[in-house]
Amino acid sequence: MWGQDDKQTYTMLNEHELIHIGRIQRTHGTGGELQCRMLNTLWEDNDATFIILKVDGIYVPFRVTDWRTKGSDDVLLTIYDVSTEQRAARFIGCEAYMLRSDLPEEIADQPDIDALNGYTITDNRRGEIGRITAIDTSTMNTLVQLDNGVLIPLHEDFITGIDAQTHVIRVDLPEGLL
């Protein structure tokens, strides 16, 4: 007999608990492996057990039983109980996320790239450059469009700080970029 303490409580995942890490590009081989194009190195740099895929508009966690890198931008994932190419194919095109709780605190506290829309970009030498109105993550070089029409790369090497309270991203852009 199950007592009250034996019951598990399940809750739906909230987008604020997640950080966007990539997108499933295709299946790999016939054993159900998935190729995920990564937007960052968060998966490789941390010890996460679950990957969260957005399936039909719902965030669904999947246990990763094995993974390995493929080139500099892709990770091949094996998901528990997905052992055929046909079962894996349903995940092609799904956005991939990690739980913020699987990340070190200093990273988990940073907003997701998509949440940066509306933030103000301030260069350490030039001052305020503009407010983000669009974010293009379709390539490995994330570009942000500012309210003044300027496009700049939002690369981790240029970012010196992100203040989630004031919605300001401080950058140190190289000369000639603006």
Side-chain angles (χ1 to χ4, degrees):
M1 179 182 255
W2 288 67
Q4 187 68 18
D5 294 336
D6 296 332
K7 294 182 181 177
Q8 290 182 316
T9 303
Y10 297 98
T11 59
M12 292 196 53
L13 290 169
N14 180 317
E15 68 183 273
H16 302 292
E17 299 173 272
L18 307 174
I19 190 158
H20 192 210
I21 60 169
R23 180 184 184 94
I24 303 298
Q25 297 293 307
R26 64 184 196 86
T27 61
H28 182 80
T30 59
E33 213 171 23
L34 293 165
Q35 183 172 324
C36 185
R37 172 65 45 97
M38 294 298 183
L39 300 172
N40 48 50
T41 61
L42 294 176
W43 181 264
E44 298 166 50
D45 296 342
N46 294 283
D47 242 358
T49 307
F50 288 90
I51 191 162
I52 290 79
L53 300 179
K54 192 170 187 180
V55 180
D56 297 329
I58 299 171
Y59 299 107
V60 182
F62 294 92
R63 182 179 300 278
V64 175
T65 57
D66 193 25
W67 69 273
R68 58 194 165 101
T69 59
K70 179 183 179 192
S72 61
D73 301 328
D74 293 336
V75 170
L76 299 176
L77 302 164
T78 302
I79 295 176
Y80 176 77
D81 209 26
V82 176
S83 57
T84 67
E85 184 178 6
Q86 292 77 19
R87 290 191 74 179
R90 69 179 281 222
F91 301 114
I92 294 172
C94 289
E95 297 298 325
Y97 299 82
M98 282 180 67
L99 290 170
R100 287 184 182 274
S101 59
D102 286 339
L103 300 170
E105 190 173 319
E106 63 273 8
I107 296 171
D109 289 343
Q110 296 298 322
D112 191 4
I113 189 76
D114 297 326
L116 298 178
N117 207 348
Y119 275 56
T120 299
I121 302 282
T122 302
D123 184 76
N124 293 335
R125 291 184 305 276
R126 298 174 189 94
E128 186 174 312
I129 299 173
R131 188 178 54 79
I132 298 173
T133 58
I135 301 172
D136 180 1
T137 59
S138 63
T139 67
M140 289 309 294
N141 297 317
T142 299
L143 293 173
V144 295
Q145 181 174 352
L146 304 180
D147 54 358
N148 55 13
V150 172
L151 285 172
I152 61 169
L154 193 60
H155 193 275
E156 62 188 36
D157 291 346
F158 301 152
I159 298 173
T160 60
I162 300 176
D163 187 335
Q165 299 287 5
T166 60
H167 294 231
V168 172
I169 301 171
R170 288 179 301 287
V171 296
D172 193 10
L173 296 176
E175 290 296 325
L177 193 59
L178 287 177

